[in-house]
Short mmCIF file of all heavy atoms in Angstrom, two decimals:
data_model
loop_
_atom_site.label_atom_id
_atom_site.label_comp_id
_atom_site.label_asym_id
_atom_site.label_seq_id
_atom_site.Cartn_x
_atom_site.Cartn_y
_atom_site.Cartn_z
N ILE A 858 96.79 101.79 96.37
CA ILE A 858 97.78 102.57 95.84
C ILE A 858 97.55 103.97 96.29
O ILE A 858 96.46 104.63 96.10
CB ILE A 858 97.99 102.56 94.29
CG1 ILE A 858 98.28 101.14 94.00
CG2 ILE A 858 99.00 103.42 93.74
CD1 ILE A 858 98.34 100.77 92.52
N PHE A 859 98.51 104.67 96.90
CA PHE A 859 98.41 106.05 97.49
C PHE A 859 98.97 107.14 96.41
O PHE A 859 99.80 106.76 95.55
CB PHE A 859 99.09 106.20 98.79
CG PHE A 859 98.48 105.44 99.72
CD1 PHE A 859 98.96 104.09 100.16
CD2 PHE A 859 97.33 105.78 100.40
CE1 PHE A 859 98.39 103.25 101.13
CE2 PHE A 859 96.75 104.97 101.45
CZ PHE A 859 97.31 103.80 101.80
N PRO A 860 98.53 108.38 96.52
CA PRO A 860 99.22 109.34 95.69
C PRO A 860 100.67 109.42 95.79
O PRO A 860 101.19 109.28 96.90
CB PRO A 860 98.53 110.66 96.06
CG PRO A 860 97.20 110.21 96.74
CD PRO A 860 97.50 108.91 97.33
N LYS A 861 101.47 109.79 94.75
CA LYS A 861 102.86 109.85 94.57
C LYS A 861 103.49 108.41 94.51
O LYS A 861 102.88 107.55 93.85
CB LYS A 861 103.36 110.64 95.76
CG LYS A 861 102.70 112.05 95.93
CD LYS A 861 103.03 112.94 94.72
CE LYS A 861 102.29 114.32 94.88
NZ LYS A 861 102.09 114.97 93.75
N TRP A 862 104.60 108.22 95.24
CA TRP A 862 105.41 107.09 94.99
C TRP A 862 105.08 105.89 95.95
O TRP A 862 104.68 106.15 97.15
CB TRP A 862 106.92 107.23 95.20
CG TRP A 862 107.58 108.13 94.10
CD1 TRP A 862 107.73 109.48 94.17
CD2 TRP A 862 107.82 107.71 92.77
NE1 TRP A 862 108.19 109.88 92.96
CE2 TRP A 862 108.25 108.89 92.12
CE3 TRP A 862 107.72 106.51 92.04
CZ2 TRP A 862 108.65 108.71 90.79
CZ3 TRP A 862 108.11 106.50 90.90
CH2 TRP A 862 108.60 107.61 90.17
N ASN A 863 104.90 104.66 95.35
CA ASN A 863 104.50 103.44 96.20
C ASN A 863 105.53 102.43 95.92
O ASN A 863 105.87 102.19 94.70
CB ASN A 863 103.15 102.93 95.79
CG ASN A 863 102.08 103.89 96.00
OD1 ASN A 863 101.39 103.84 97.03
ND2 ASN A 863 101.92 104.93 95.09
N LEU A 864 106.14 101.82 96.90
CA LEU A 864 107.09 100.67 96.79
C LEU A 864 106.25 99.48 97.04
O LEU A 864 105.66 99.21 98.05
CB LEU A 864 108.19 100.81 97.59
CG LEU A 864 109.19 99.56 97.65
CD1 LEU A 864 109.87 99.54 96.09
CD2 LEU A 864 110.36 99.79 98.60
N LEU A 865 106.07 98.49 95.94
CA LEU A 865 105.26 97.41 96.09
C LEU A 865 106.08 96.06 95.62
O LEU A 865 106.94 96.23 94.62
CB LEU A 865 104.02 97.40 95.18
CG LEU A 865 103.08 98.68 95.56
CD1 LEU A 865 102.00 98.74 94.55
CD2 LEU A 865 102.44 98.53 96.92
N ALA A 866 105.82 95.01 96.20
CA ALA A 866 106.24 93.71 95.70
C ALA A 866 105.15 92.98 94.94
O ALA A 866 103.94 92.86 95.50
CB ALA A 866 106.79 92.91 96.88
N ALA A 867 105.48 92.39 93.80
CA ALA A 867 104.33 91.71 92.99
C ALA A 867 104.03 90.37 93.72
O ALA A 867 104.95 89.60 94.17
CB ALA A 867 104.98 91.40 91.56
N GLN A 868 102.80 90.16 93.94
CA GLN A 868 102.28 88.93 94.68
C GLN A 868 102.02 87.92 93.60
O GLN A 868 101.82 86.74 94.01
CB GLN A 868 101.04 89.36 95.45
CG GLN A 868 101.33 90.33 96.48
CD GLN A 868 102.24 89.85 97.52
OE1 GLN A 868 102.20 88.80 98.13
NE2 GLN A 868 103.23 90.76 97.81
N GLU A 869 101.85 88.24 92.36
CA GLU A 869 101.61 87.30 91.30
C GLU A 869 102.18 87.99 90.04
O GLU A 869 102.34 89.16 90.02
CB GLU A 869 100.18 86.99 91.14
CG GLU A 869 99.26 88.23 90.81
CD GLU A 869 97.82 88.00 90.80
OE1 GLU A 869 97.43 86.93 91.51
OE2 GLU A 869 97.09 88.70 90.08
N GLU A 870 102.54 87.11 89.04
CA GLU A 870 103.02 87.61 87.83
C GLU A 870 101.92 88.33 87.13
O GLU A 870 100.76 87.98 86.97
CB GLU A 870 103.52 86.60 86.93
CG GLU A 870 104.21 87.05 85.68
CD GLU A 870 104.87 86.05 84.86
OE1 GLU A 870 105.73 85.24 85.41
OE2 GLU A 870 104.67 85.98 83.67
N THR A 871 102.21 89.54 86.72
CA THR A 871 101.24 90.50 86.04
C THR A 871 101.91 91.42 85.02
O THR A 871 103.04 91.28 84.91
CB THR A 871 100.43 91.30 87.25
OG1 THR A 871 99.32 92.00 86.57
CG2 THR A 871 101.35 92.23 87.92
N THR A 872 101.16 92.30 84.62
CA THR A 872 101.75 93.32 83.70
C THR A 872 101.41 94.79 84.17
O THR A 872 100.58 94.99 84.97
CB THR A 872 101.23 93.28 82.23
OG1 THR A 872 99.91 93.53 82.32
CG2 THR A 872 101.57 91.90 81.65
N PRO A 873 102.31 95.74 83.88
CA PRO A 873 101.93 97.10 84.27
C PRO A 873 100.60 97.44 83.71
O PRO A 873 99.96 98.27 84.33
CB PRO A 873 103.06 97.99 83.59
CG PRO A 873 104.23 97.01 83.39
CD PRO A 873 103.67 95.67 83.21
N GLU A 874 100.22 97.06 82.41
CA GLU A 874 98.98 97.48 81.97
C GLU A 874 97.81 97.01 82.84
O GLU A 874 96.75 97.65 82.98
CB GLU A 874 98.78 96.86 80.46
CG GLU A 874 99.70 97.51 79.54
CD GLU A 874 101.03 96.88 79.48
OE1 GLU A 874 101.32 95.97 80.18
OE2 GLU A 874 101.74 97.31 78.69
N GLN A 875 97.96 95.82 83.41
CA GLN A 875 96.84 95.27 84.27
C GLN A 875 96.82 96.00 85.59
O GLN A 875 95.70 96.34 86.01
CB GLN A 875 97.15 93.79 84.79
CG GLN A 875 96.92 92.86 83.43
CD GLN A 875 97.36 91.46 83.86
OE1 GLN A 875 98.52 91.23 84.23
NE2 GLN A 875 96.52 90.49 83.56
N ILE A 876 97.99 96.51 86.12
CA ILE A 876 97.90 97.34 87.28
C ILE A 876 97.22 98.69 87.09
O ILE A 876 96.44 99.13 87.80
CB ILE A 876 99.35 97.41 87.96
CG1 ILE A 876 99.82 96.07 88.43
CG2 ILE A 876 99.32 98.62 88.98
CD1 ILE A 876 101.24 96.20 88.95
N ALA A 877 97.65 99.27 85.95
CA ALA A 877 97.09 100.49 85.57
C ALA A 877 95.55 100.49 85.30
O ALA A 877 94.80 101.36 85.56
CB ALA A 877 97.81 101.17 84.34
N GLY A 878 95.15 99.35 84.79
CA GLY A 878 93.76 98.95 84.52
C GLY A 878 92.91 98.92 85.78
O GLY A 878 91.81 99.39 85.72
N GLU A 879 93.52 98.46 86.94
CA GLU A 879 92.87 98.37 88.09
C GLU A 879 92.85 99.79 88.84
O GLU A 879 91.91 100.08 89.59
CB GLU A 879 93.62 97.34 88.99
CG GLU A 879 93.36 95.92 88.51
CD GLU A 879 94.27 94.89 89.25
OE1 GLU A 879 94.79 95.24 90.37
OE2 GLU A 879 94.45 93.83 88.74
N ASP A 880 93.86 100.50 88.62
CA ASP A 880 94.07 101.85 89.12
C ASP A 880 94.49 102.85 88.27
O ASP A 880 95.81 102.93 88.03
CB ASP A 880 94.81 101.77 90.45
CG ASP A 880 94.48 102.90 91.41
OD1 ASP A 880 94.16 104.08 91.01
OD2 ASP A 880 94.63 102.85 92.63
N PRO A 881 93.72 103.57 87.53
CA PRO A 881 94.18 104.47 86.45
C PRO A 881 95.06 105.63 86.84
O PRO A 881 95.61 106.29 86.13
CB PRO A 881 92.96 105.03 85.78
CG PRO A 881 91.77 104.49 86.46
CD PRO A 881 92.30 103.51 87.63
N CYS A 882 95.19 105.87 88.22
CA CYS A 882 96.13 106.82 88.63
C CYS A 882 97.66 106.50 88.44
O CYS A 882 98.44 107.32 88.41
CB CYS A 882 95.89 107.14 90.15
SG CYS A 882 96.73 105.87 91.18
N VAL A 883 97.84 105.26 88.16
CA VAL A 883 99.28 104.81 87.99
C VAL A 883 99.82 105.33 86.53
O VAL A 883 99.26 105.05 85.45
CB VAL A 883 99.38 103.27 87.87
CG1 VAL A 883 100.72 102.81 87.57
CG2 VAL A 883 99.00 102.80 89.26
N THR A 884 100.91 106.15 86.66
CA THR A 884 101.28 106.90 85.41
C THR A 884 102.76 106.30 85.10
O THR A 884 103.31 106.61 84.04
CB THR A 884 101.41 108.31 85.58
OG1 THR A 884 102.19 108.70 86.64
CG2 THR A 884 100.00 108.90 85.71
N SER A 885 103.32 105.52 86.10
CA SER A 885 104.61 104.79 85.59
C SER A 885 104.93 103.85 86.60
O SER A 885 104.54 103.76 87.74
CB SER A 885 105.82 105.75 85.58
OG SER A 885 106.06 106.39 86.85
N VAL A 886 105.69 102.71 86.13
CA VAL A 886 106.04 101.69 87.02
C VAL A 886 107.62 101.46 86.65
O VAL A 886 107.98 101.46 85.56
CB VAL A 886 105.42 100.31 86.71
CG1 VAL A 886 105.88 99.18 87.62
CG2 VAL A 886 103.90 100.48 86.75
N TRP A 887 108.41 101.35 87.82
CA TRP A 887 109.85 101.32 87.70
C TRP A 887 110.44 100.07 88.46
O TRP A 887 109.92 99.79 89.49
CB TRP A 887 110.44 102.57 88.22
CG TRP A 887 110.10 103.71 87.43
CD1 TRP A 887 109.14 104.66 87.68
CD2 TRP A 887 110.86 104.25 86.30
NE1 TRP A 887 109.10 105.62 86.74
CE2 TRP A 887 110.22 105.28 85.91
CE3 TRP A 887 111.94 103.78 85.67
CZ2 TRP A 887 110.61 106.07 84.80
CZ3 TRP A 887 112.45 104.51 84.52
CH2 TRP A 887 111.68 105.65 84.11
N ARG A 888 111.46 99.46 87.87
CA ARG A 888 112.19 98.30 88.56
C ARG A 888 113.72 98.70 88.37
O ARG A 888 114.10 98.90 87.16
CB ARG A 888 111.80 97.04 87.95
CG ARG A 888 112.62 95.91 88.57
CD ARG A 888 112.28 94.50 87.82
NE ARG A 888 113.19 93.49 88.34
CZ ARG A 888 114.23 93.18 87.85
NH1 ARG A 888 114.76 93.94 86.75
NH2 ARG A 888 114.91 92.23 88.30
N TRP A 889 114.48 98.40 89.42
CA TRP A 889 116.02 98.53 89.37
C TRP A 889 116.45 97.24 88.91
O TRP A 889 116.24 96.22 89.66
CB TRP A 889 116.58 99.03 90.61
CG TRP A 889 118.07 99.10 90.58
CD1 TRP A 889 118.86 98.27 91.29
CD2 TRP A 889 118.82 99.91 89.84
NE1 TRP A 889 120.18 98.59 90.97
CE2 TRP A 889 120.27 99.59 90.07
CE3 TRP A 889 118.63 100.99 89.10
CZ2 TRP A 889 121.32 100.31 89.58
CZ3 TRP A 889 119.68 101.60 88.41
CH2 TRP A 889 121.11 101.30 88.68
N ASP A 890 117.26 97.09 87.91
CA ASP A 890 117.84 95.91 87.37
C ASP A 890 119.35 95.90 87.92
O ASP A 890 120.15 96.69 87.33
CB ASP A 890 117.85 95.88 85.84
CG ASP A 890 118.43 94.50 85.34
OD1 ASP A 890 119.28 93.85 86.06
OD2 ASP A 890 118.24 94.19 84.19
N SER A 891 119.63 95.25 89.00
CA SER A 891 120.85 95.38 89.69
C SER A 891 121.95 94.70 88.82
O SER A 891 123.09 95.13 88.81
CB SER A 891 120.94 94.63 90.93
OG SER A 891 120.48 93.36 90.92
N GLN A 892 121.68 93.73 88.03
CA GLN A 892 122.65 93.01 87.17
C GLN A 892 123.04 94.01 86.09
O GLN A 892 124.31 94.21 85.74
CB GLN A 892 122.03 91.80 86.53
CG GLN A 892 123.10 90.96 85.86
CD GLN A 892 122.61 89.68 85.58
OE1 GLN A 892 121.45 89.41 85.43
NE2 GLN A 892 123.50 88.60 85.31
N ALA A 893 122.18 94.72 85.41
CA ALA A 893 122.50 95.65 84.29
C ALA A 893 122.84 97.04 84.89
O ALA A 893 123.33 97.88 84.13
CB ALA A 893 121.40 95.70 83.39
N GLN A 894 122.56 97.27 86.09
CA GLN A 894 122.75 98.59 86.76
C GLN A 894 122.03 99.66 86.03
O GLN A 894 122.58 100.76 85.65
CB GLN A 894 124.22 98.90 86.78
CG GLN A 894 125.10 98.09 87.76
CD GLN A 894 124.79 98.29 89.20
OE1 GLN A 894 124.94 99.43 89.76
NE2 GLN A 894 124.09 97.34 89.84
N GLN A 895 120.70 99.42 85.79
CA GLN A 895 119.84 100.42 85.10
C GLN A 895 118.43 100.25 85.58
O GLN A 895 118.05 99.23 86.01
CB GLN A 895 119.96 100.31 83.59
CG GLN A 895 119.39 99.03 83.06
CD GLN A 895 119.54 98.98 81.56
OE1 GLN A 895 120.24 99.54 80.98
NE2 GLN A 895 118.70 98.00 81.03
N TRP A 896 117.56 101.24 85.38
CA TRP A 896 116.20 101.38 85.69
C TRP A 896 115.48 100.81 84.46
O TRP A 896 115.82 101.12 83.28
CB TRP A 896 115.60 102.69 85.95
CG TRP A 896 116.11 103.15 87.43
CD1 TRP A 896 117.27 103.85 87.72
CD2 TRP A 896 115.42 102.79 88.65
NE1 TRP A 896 117.28 104.09 89.04
CE2 TRP A 896 116.18 103.42 89.64
CE3 TRP A 896 114.36 102.13 88.94
CZ2 TRP A 896 115.86 103.42 90.91
CZ3 TRP A 896 114.00 101.89 90.37
CH2 TRP A 896 114.74 102.64 91.30
N ASN A 897 114.39 100.05 84.68
CA ASN A 897 113.46 99.68 83.50
C ASN A 897 112.23 100.32 83.99
O ASN A 897 111.76 100.29 85.11
CB ASN A 897 113.33 98.20 83.56
CG ASN A 897 114.51 97.44 83.22
OD1 ASN A 897 115.10 96.62 84.04
ND2 ASN A 897 115.16 97.73 82.12
N GLY A 898 111.43 100.85 82.92
CA GLY A 898 110.27 101.50 83.27
C GLY A 898 109.08 101.20 82.27
O GLY A 898 109.35 100.77 81.17
N TRP A 899 107.96 101.55 82.85
CA TRP A 899 106.68 101.38 81.96
C TRP A 899 105.96 102.79 81.98
O TRP A 899 105.77 103.29 83.05
CB TRP A 899 105.83 100.26 82.40
CG TRP A 899 104.51 100.22 81.68
CD1 TRP A 899 104.24 99.54 80.56
CD2 TRP A 899 103.20 100.82 82.21
NE1 TRP A 899 102.84 99.78 80.27
CE2 TRP A 899 102.34 100.55 81.21
CE3 TRP A 899 102.89 101.48 83.29
CZ2 TRP A 899 101.07 100.93 81.30
CZ3 TRP A 899 101.65 102.02 83.30
CH2 TRP A 899 100.69 101.77 82.43
N PHE A 900 105.32 103.14 80.90
CA PHE A 900 104.60 104.30 80.80
C PHE A 900 103.26 103.97 80.00
O PHE A 900 103.37 103.18 79.03
CB PHE A 900 105.37 105.45 80.07
CG PHE A 900 106.71 105.53 80.66
CD1 PHE A 900 107.77 104.97 80.10
CD2 PHE A 900 106.94 106.40 81.73
CE1 PHE A 900 108.96 105.07 80.64
CE2 PHE A 900 108.21 106.57 82.35
CZ PHE A 900 109.25 105.89 81.66
N PRO A 901 102.09 104.49 80.39
CA PRO A 901 100.90 104.18 79.67
C PRO A 901 100.64 104.91 78.38
O PRO A 901 101.50 105.81 78.09
CB PRO A 901 99.75 104.68 80.70
CG PRO A 901 100.42 105.75 81.47
CD PRO A 901 101.82 105.40 81.51
N GLY A 902 99.89 104.46 77.50
CA GLY A 902 99.51 105.21 76.23
C GLY A 902 100.43 104.82 75.13
O GLY A 902 101.33 104.10 75.15
N GLU A 903 100.10 105.38 73.93
CA GLU A 903 100.79 105.04 72.75
C GLU A 903 102.24 105.55 72.83
O GLU A 903 103.14 104.73 72.38
CB GLU A 903 100.10 105.86 71.58
CG GLU A 903 99.10 105.04 70.74
CD GLU A 903 98.57 105.75 69.62
OE1 GLU A 903 99.35 106.19 68.71
OE2 GLU A 903 97.36 105.87 69.48
N ALA A 904 102.42 106.66 73.42
CA ALA A 904 103.92 107.12 73.44
C ALA A 904 104.69 106.20 74.40
O ALA A 904 105.85 105.94 74.22
CB ALA A 904 103.97 108.49 73.96
N GLY A 905 104.05 105.64 75.40
CA GLY A 905 104.66 104.82 76.35
C GLY A 905 105.14 103.48 75.71
O GLY A 905 106.15 102.86 76.20
N VAL A 906 104.46 103.01 74.69
CA VAL A 906 104.78 101.76 74.07
C VAL A 906 106.31 101.87 73.57
O VAL A 906 107.11 100.89 73.77
CB VAL A 906 103.82 101.48 72.94
CG1 VAL A 906 104.34 100.14 72.13
CG2 VAL A 906 102.47 101.09 73.39
N LEU A 907 106.63 102.98 73.08
CA LEU A 907 107.98 103.11 72.53
C LEU A 907 109.02 103.30 73.61
O LEU A 907 110.12 102.92 73.54
CB LEU A 907 107.97 104.33 71.50
CG LEU A 907 107.23 104.06 70.27
CD1 LEU A 907 107.22 105.42 69.48
CD2 LEU A 907 107.60 102.92 69.53
N ALA A 908 108.58 104.02 74.71
CA ALA A 908 109.50 104.24 75.78
C ALA A 908 109.73 103.18 76.74
O ALA A 908 110.64 103.18 77.54
CB ALA A 908 109.07 105.59 76.49
N SER A 909 108.73 102.26 76.89
CA SER A 909 108.76 101.31 78.03
C SER A 909 109.65 100.08 77.74
O SER A 909 109.65 99.59 76.59
CB SER A 909 107.22 100.85 78.23
OG SER A 909 106.46 101.90 78.55
N ASP A 910 110.30 99.73 78.73
CA ASP A 910 111.19 98.52 78.62
C ASP A 910 110.87 97.52 79.70
O ASP A 910 111.62 96.58 80.00
CB ASP A 910 112.64 98.75 78.46
CG ASP A 910 113.17 99.59 79.64
OD1 ASP A 910 112.43 99.82 80.58
OD2 ASP A 910 114.41 99.77 79.59
N LEU A 911 109.83 97.81 80.44
CA LEU A 911 109.35 96.97 81.53
C LEU A 911 108.00 96.35 81.12
O LEU A 911 107.10 97.10 80.91
CB LEU A 911 109.23 97.64 82.86
CG LEU A 911 108.71 96.92 84.04
CD1 LEU A 911 109.63 95.83 84.50
CD2 LEU A 911 108.41 97.82 85.16
N HIS A 912 107.89 95.13 80.85
CA HIS A 912 106.70 94.42 80.24
C HIS A 912 106.03 93.46 81.22
O HIS A 912 104.86 93.21 81.07
CB HIS A 912 106.94 93.86 78.96
CG HIS A 912 107.61 94.77 78.09
ND1 HIS A 912 106.97 95.84 77.44
CD2 HIS A 912 109.01 94.96 77.64
CE1 HIS A 912 107.87 96.50 76.70
NE2 HIS A 912 109.01 95.99 76.73
N THR A 913 106.71 92.93 82.21
CA THR A 913 106.17 91.89 83.09
C THR A 913 106.71 92.12 84.54
O THR A 913 107.89 92.55 84.74
CB THR A 913 106.61 90.40 82.67
OG1 THR A 913 106.31 90.20 81.31
CG2 THR A 913 106.00 89.39 83.61
N LEU A 914 105.77 92.02 85.54
CA LEU A 914 106.16 92.09 86.91
C LEU A 914 106.23 90.74 87.46
O LEU A 914 105.24 89.86 87.30
CB LEU A 914 105.24 92.96 87.74
CG LEU A 914 105.15 94.53 87.57
CD1 LEU A 914 105.12 94.91 86.20
CD2 LEU A 914 104.29 95.11 88.55
N ALA A 915 107.37 90.38 88.01
CA ALA A 915 107.73 89.02 88.52
C ALA A 915 107.39 89.02 89.94
O ALA A 915 107.45 89.85 90.64
CB ALA A 915 109.17 88.57 88.23
N VAL A 916 106.96 87.75 90.39
CA VAL A 916 106.57 87.45 91.79
C VAL A 916 107.84 87.77 92.68
O VAL A 916 108.92 87.28 92.37
CB VAL A 916 106.11 85.97 92.00
CG1 VAL A 916 105.87 85.71 93.49
CG2 VAL A 916 104.88 85.75 91.17
N GLY A 917 107.55 88.53 93.79
CA GLY A 917 108.62 88.79 94.72
C GLY A 917 109.55 89.95 94.45
O GLY A 917 110.31 90.28 95.27
N GLU A 918 109.49 90.43 93.15
CA GLU A 918 110.35 91.61 92.81
C GLU A 918 109.66 92.92 93.37
O GLU A 918 108.48 92.98 93.47
CB GLU A 918 110.45 91.66 91.31
CG GLU A 918 111.31 90.42 90.70
CD GLU A 918 112.76 90.54 90.93
OE1 GLU A 918 113.36 91.63 91.11
OE2 GLU A 918 113.43 89.44 91.15
N ALA A 919 110.49 93.84 93.64
CA ALA A 919 110.01 95.07 94.04
C ALA A 919 109.91 96.09 93.03
O ALA A 919 110.75 96.16 92.05
CB ALA A 919 110.95 95.61 95.14
N TYR A 920 108.99 96.90 93.00
CA TYR A 920 108.53 97.91 91.91
C TYR A 920 108.15 99.16 92.56
O TYR A 920 107.45 99.22 93.57
CB TYR A 920 107.48 97.44 91.04
CG TYR A 920 107.77 96.06 90.33
CD1 TYR A 920 107.60 94.87 90.85
CD2 TYR A 920 108.44 96.17 89.13
CE1 TYR A 920 108.00 93.67 90.28
CE2 TYR A 920 108.89 94.99 88.45
CZ TYR A 920 108.61 93.74 89.08
OH TYR A 920 109.01 92.53 88.52
N TRP A 921 108.58 100.35 91.96
CA TRP A 921 108.08 101.62 92.26
C TRP A 921 106.95 101.95 91.30
O TRP A 921 107.17 101.91 90.09
CB TRP A 921 109.23 102.62 92.18
CG TRP A 921 110.32 102.66 93.26
CD1 TRP A 921 111.36 102.04 93.29
CD2 TRP A 921 110.02 103.12 94.63
NE1 TRP A 921 111.98 102.07 94.52
CE2 TRP A 921 111.11 102.79 95.31
CE3 TRP A 921 109.01 103.88 95.20
CZ2 TRP A 921 111.43 103.23 96.73
CZ3 TRP A 921 109.16 104.26 96.55
CH2 TRP A 921 110.38 104.07 97.32
N LEU A 922 105.83 102.34 91.86
CA LEU A 922 104.69 102.85 91.05
C LEU A 922 104.46 104.32 91.38
O LEU A 922 104.50 104.66 92.59
CB LEU A 922 103.43 102.14 91.42
CG LEU A 922 103.32 100.75 90.86
CD1 LEU A 922 104.30 99.73 91.39
CD2 LEU A 922 101.97 100.22 91.13
N TYR A 923 104.27 105.15 90.30
CA TYR A 923 103.87 106.49 90.56
C TYR A 923 102.38 106.65 90.27
O TYR A 923 101.97 106.17 89.31
CB TYR A 923 104.68 107.55 89.75
CG TYR A 923 104.43 108.91 90.10
CD1 TYR A 923 105.10 109.42 91.19
CD2 TYR A 923 103.40 109.72 89.54
CE1 TYR A 923 104.93 110.78 91.68
CE2 TYR A 923 103.20 111.02 89.91
CZ TYR A 923 103.87 111.47 91.04
OH TYR A 923 103.60 112.76 91.47
N CYS A 924 101.69 107.29 91.30
CA CYS A 924 100.21 107.44 91.21
C CYS A 924 99.91 108.92 91.20
O CYS A 924 100.40 109.57 92.20
CB CYS A 924 99.58 106.75 92.33
SG CYS A 924 97.83 106.83 92.33
N ASP A 925 99.20 109.38 90.16
CA ASP A 925 98.80 110.80 90.15
C ASP A 925 97.69 110.94 91.42
O ASP A 925 97.41 109.89 91.93
CB ASP A 925 98.04 111.19 88.96
CG ASP A 925 99.13 111.60 87.83
OD1 ASP A 925 100.32 111.84 88.18
OD2 ASP A 925 98.80 111.62 86.73
N GLU A 926 97.27 112.10 91.68
CA GLU A 926 96.31 112.20 92.69
C GLU A 926 95.13 111.30 92.60
O GLU A 926 94.63 110.89 91.45
CB GLU A 926 95.82 113.64 92.72
CG GLU A 926 96.87 114.70 93.05
CD GLU A 926 97.63 114.44 94.36
OE1 GLU A 926 97.08 114.21 95.34
OE2 GLU A 926 98.85 114.64 94.30
N GLY A 927 94.65 110.78 93.73
CA GLY A 927 93.63 109.78 93.69
C GLY A 927 94.14 108.54 94.31
O GLY A 927 94.68 108.50 95.35
N GLY A 928 93.94 107.49 93.56
CA GLY A 928 94.41 106.20 93.89
C GLY A 928 93.46 105.42 94.80
O GLY A 928 92.34 105.94 95.12
N THR A 929 93.68 104.14 94.90
CA THR A 929 92.80 103.25 95.56
C THR A 929 93.51 102.68 96.76
O THR A 929 94.17 101.69 96.55
CB THR A 929 92.35 102.18 94.77
OG1 THR A 929 91.73 102.73 93.53
CG2 THR A 929 91.22 101.37 95.41
N PRO A 930 93.43 103.24 98.02
CA PRO A 930 94.06 102.76 99.21
C PRO A 930 93.69 101.31 99.65
O PRO A 930 92.53 100.92 99.29
CB PRO A 930 93.90 103.81 100.23
CG PRO A 930 93.04 104.80 99.74
CD PRO A 930 92.63 104.48 98.36
#
């Protein structure tokens, strides 16, 4: 994962928490829901629990991840 925005496709079902656990630079994960015409997002930490409406990353779906400086290329 590189600093700033990354567009990734999930290779296996996972959660945003698992991704952030592997690379703590991840500060948000986003998915466009074309059917509902809205963004779903995930944010880390206690405050993120209330604000997050993205809980599972499905295989083959595309996700935007934001990574603060650092990352694991």
Side-chain angles (χ1 to χ4, degrees):
I858 298 175
F859 295 97
K861 307 296 181 202
W862 291 103
N863 296 265
L864 180 59
L865 302 174
Q868 301 298 309
E869 60 186 25
E870 188 170 306
T871 188
T872 66
E874 291 87 359
Q875 288 173 310
I876 290 175
E879 293 172 14
D880 202 329
C882 79
V883 175
T884 58
S885 65
V886 179
W887 294 91
R888 176 185 173 272
W889 176 250
D890 183 338
S891 60
Q892 190 170 21
Q894 292 291 295
Q895 67 182 20
W896 287 97
N897 300 116
W899 171 86
F900 311 92
E903 266 184 55
V906 171
L907 299 175
S909 299
D910 59 358
L911 178 64
H912 305 289
T913 304
L914 280 61
V916 174
E918 293 288 328
Y920 299 90
W921 284 101
L922 282 67
Y923 188 83
C924 179
D925 280 342
E926 297 304 317
T929 308

